[in-house]
Amino acid sequence: DLTMVAIGKALAHGVEVQQRALSNKSQLFEVIKNLPGFDIEHVVMAICIIGRDPENTGLFVKMEDPYKIVFLKQELEAANKNSKDA
């Protein structure tokens, strides 16, 4: 039945997307935890912020470390400012 085949393909694609997202977040964690100047709370918050957007995650992982540090500081400052404004 064509409908069952389509449902099966959609489910398989969903699982693949979830596995890729988990792999990206694991890679993101490995990169961020090794950057100097960030404590555990910063690392966790940064993973939550950057990991929301697969495009940002991919770009971030490919950046050289000095750019990663600036990017993280800006993201953390923006999140901190937004939480104070709320």
Side-chain angles (χ1 to χ4, degrees):
D1 182 43
L2 189 56
T3 305
M4 292 304 290
V5 170
I7 291 172
K9 286 183 179 181
L11 289 173
H13 177 71
V15 168
E16 181 183 326
V17 168
Q18 285 180 331
Q19 288 174 336
R20 204 172 332 138
L22 180 58
S23 173
N24 287 347
K25 284 192 178 180
S26 296
Q27 187 178 17
L28 184 63
F29 171 69
E30 290 301 320
V31 169
I32 293 175
K33 77 175 188 172
N34 292 314
L35 291 174
F38 299 99
D39 62 23
I40 292 173
E41 288 180 11
H42 289 136
V43 170
V44 171
M45 184 180 285
I47 292 167
C48 292
I49 293 168
I50 298 170
R52 287 183 201 143
D53 183 346
E55 289 180 17
N56 275 350
T57 301
L59 174 64
F60 179 82
V61 169
K62 292 177 183 174
M63 289 179 180
E64 295 174 15
D65 284 357
Y67 294 97
K68 288 176 186 166
I69 292 169
V70 170
F71 187 92
L72 275 181
K73 286 180 180 179
Q74 289 177 351
E75 290 293 321
L76 292 170
E77 287 172 9
N80 193 24
K81 182 180 183 294
N82 289 339
S83 70
K84 288 181 181 177
D85 291 346

